Amino acid sequence: QVQVVESGGGSVQAGGSARLSCVASGYTDCMGWFRQAPGKEREGVAGIDIDDRITYADSVKGRFTISRDIAKLTLVLQMNSLKPEDTGMYFCAAGKCEGWVTQELWYNYWGQGTQVTVSS
């Protein structure tokens, strides 16, 4: 069993930046960030696989950067040029990906989530 713990988030003005971090208790092939806005389904934001291939949701390309330190079992999401529509609960997940790393089905281990609120 791998435990995943997120940190970071909070409230930020539109156009600002925020940084999310995640630490896993063990190694997994892939890790990713997902988010859920109020009244909406959870969606994949960005993920990174065992070969360091990265996938971003179209809505965050050019604004968000995901990075991973395998030795430290950490995952970071740097979010720039934030928009109100980026508001939501952000979840870090870890698993064994056999397809798109932004698909939930590959992830077995999930954090509790951290809230990001972007005000206009």
Side-chain angles (χ1 to χ4, degrees):
Q1 188 79 4
V2 174
Q3 294 185 335
V4 178
V5 179
E6 305 100 337
S7 61
S11 297
V12 62
Q13 296 243 332
S17 298
R19 182 182 177 90
L20 305 181
S21 297
C22 167
V23 178
S25 63
Y27 173 79
T28 58
D29 288 349
C30 61
M31 296 185 74
W33 287 98
F34 294 78
R35 68 184 179 190
Q36 186 167 22
K40 294 187 177 181
E41 292 186 355
R42 189 159 59 186
E43 63 175 351
V45 174
I48 184 166
D49 72 8
I50 192 172
D51 295 317
D52 286 339
R53 289 175 296 205
I54 293 172
T55 299
Y56 293 101
D58 287 343
S59 59
V60 307
K61 282 180 181 177
R63 300 187 298 121
F64 290 12
T65 302
I66 189 173
S67 60
R68 180 179 185 182
D69 185 329
I70 293 178
K72 296 180 180 179
L73 302 176
T74 59
L75 186 73
V76 172
L77 185 68
Q78 177 65 42
M79 304 184 292
N80 298 326
S81 301
L82 283 162
K83 305 175 181 179
E85 52 263 44
D86 293 318
T87 294
M89 185 70 75
Y90 282 69
F91 299 89
C92 179
K96 182 178 175 60
C97 296
E98 298 179 5
W100 293 107
V101 293
T102 49
Q103 290 183 300
E104 287 194 34
L105 69 96
W106 305 120
Y107 293 91
N108 307 100
Y109 310 107
W110 293 81
Q112 295 295 315
T114 184
Q115 179 68 34
V116 174
T117 302
V118 184
S119 58
S120 57

